[in-house]
DNA sequence: GTCTATATATGGATAGAC
DNA sequence: GTCTATCCATATATAGAC
């Protein structure tokens, strides 16, 4: 169905429908690889196979393009996290559910979701809202960690350090999910277990945490 | 503070002597925050308090500037890691020593060492050597993980996932070390313990690992 | 060693034809 | 919806005075 038959003048209607989508896909790859400042609209257009000015038919500005990618990435994450935090369940199970859900989301995404990492574009005032979302996500993650520590489910320790481990891990998973290692991520459960093992005061409870998390998971997905 | 004893060459004026150093410091902060493409030579010059062309007296090109930062960051890391890998000791102790040494290095560095993260500039062919170093570091880390798993010291699992946890954690530690959270990193030992607890088959052996790591630590520092 | 002025390249975005 | 041609802002880097 993809008609790469090229510039058929005004005839490119059927293929034009998803040009916008292809722009987002290619832009996400390039942005993840080269950053916001390092990715030019010419690069994106070339990857899609259209001329550079044609981009501006689909997106008013370069920033509007990345804004859409940030939204796709961050809004469901924060929403899912909020649903999780306010509900019942142990901190460990919530953290487990969040991590496995996020890894799953990365795998399923058509985009290269490394927005978390390149905070570069988030400097722009127009994207302040997304920077806030990112901070909210980190804050809630840290809250979960602290709650688990205070309840005794987790070992005591610096919650900031633990947050960096969780957030760093998720960022790296994003980083390489689009590479040739996707298959390695086929097990979101293992990723969650890896982190939880580091935090749980009693590692033997991991299986119980996993079972509890399985029931919380739907709450996270409600976001989308 | 750092000792600006450097190569006080012929034309080194009192203030001029460390202008080069101040450029590196400010550039590292800006590059970490805004990326390579997002950081202009004007930004750097303004932060240092000199005119933009004056930068080119100290560094031939913008790329030469970041090359020096990459070298400062990566060469000692890879060298230390190599020293560690070829020597005696358990995989767990080696990993523990590496993590605590790297966290210490981040704290002590006058620069904002987030080079690991912004792979953006590493695309440039002129920096291919540093991309190689980065890959070597990751490869050796993964080797340590796999060795530990095969020896039974670590729980079995996907070594790629575990590598992402370690590397992601170190990257995030870099990311925020220059922020207002430096004090949180005053305990490289806790950082290493956090990761090791996730990997060790028998968490109770953590103290033994820590003691063994203390003896390996000098090997890592030999690099510098 | 640092400055001002400027050459030269490149990037985002617009105009208007088809 | 996509194209070509182009405007305009900004970026790296050089030239030459002080």
């Amino acid at each position: 169905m993809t008609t790469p038959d090229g510039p058929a003048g005004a005839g490119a209607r059927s293929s034009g429908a998803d040009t916008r989508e292809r722009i987002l896909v290619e832009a996400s790859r390039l942005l993840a690889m080269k950053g916001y400042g390092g990715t030019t609209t010419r690069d994106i257009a070339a990857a899609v196979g259209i001329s550079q000015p044609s981009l501006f038919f689909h997106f008013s500005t370069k920033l509007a393009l990345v804004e859409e990618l940030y939204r796709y990435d961050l809004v469901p994450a924060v929403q899912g996290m909020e649903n999780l935090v306010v509900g019942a369940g142990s901190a460990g199970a919530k953290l487990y559910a969040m991590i496995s859900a996020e890894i799953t989301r990365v795998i399923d995404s058509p985009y290269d979701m490394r927005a978390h990492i390149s905070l570069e574009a988030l400097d722009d005032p127009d994207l302040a809202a997304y920077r806030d979302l990112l901070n909210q996500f980190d804050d809630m993650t840290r809250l979960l960690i602290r709650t688990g520590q205070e309840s005794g489910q987790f070992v005591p320790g610096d919650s900031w350090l633990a947050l960096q481990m969780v957030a760093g891990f998720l960022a790296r998973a994003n980083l390489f999910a689009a590479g040739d290692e996707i298959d390695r991520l086929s097990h979101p459960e293992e990723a969650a277990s890896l982190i939880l093992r580091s935090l749980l005061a009693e590692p033997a409870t991991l299986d119980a945490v996993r079972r509890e998390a399985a029931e919380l998971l739907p709450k996270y997905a409600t976001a989308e």
Side-chain angles (χ1 to χ4, degrees), chain A residues 47-179:
Chain A
V48 174
I50 60 179
S51 72
Q52 180 259 347
S54 293
L55 276 185
F56 294 90
F57 174 81
H58 300 277
F59 298 93
S60 58
T61 66
K62 182 188 178 186
L63 202 65
L65 203 173
V66 315
E67 195 203 337
E68 189 148 328
L69 291 172
Y70 274 115
R71 180 165 46 234
Y72 177 89
D73 187 5
L74 294 175
V75 170
V78 169
Q79 187 59 262
M81 190 65 150
E82 277 174 355
N83 293 344
L84 219 49
V85 167
V86 301
S90 73
K94 288 176 179 176
L95 200 61
Y96 188 106
M98 181 276 273
I99 293 169
S100 61
E102 278 301 305
I103 297 288
T104 301
R105 232 161 55 81
V106 166
I107 297 171
D108 294 345
S109 170
Y111 312 129
D112 196 337
M113 304 207 310
R114 302 181 221 180
H116 291 106
I117 308 173
S118 62
L119 307 160
E120 180 194 346
L122 283 179
D123 273 349
D124 197 293
D126 290 0
L127 292 183
Y130 298 101
R131 175 173 280 279
D132 288 347
L133 285 182
L134 195 54
N135 288 335
Q136 278 176 46
F137 190 85
D138 280 356
D139 287 347
M140 287 187 286
T141 302
R142 190 172 181 178
L143 177 66
L144 278 187
I145 293 169
R146 220 157 11 202
T147 303
Q149 289 172 335
E150 285 165 7
S151 75
Q153 187 182 25
F154 293 168
V155 292
D158 189 326
S159 64
W160 184 81
L161 274 178
L163 168 63
Q164 301 318 313
M165 180 179 63
V166 175
F169 180 58
L170 288 177
R172 287 284 290 212
N174 278 336
L175 188 60
F176 289 93

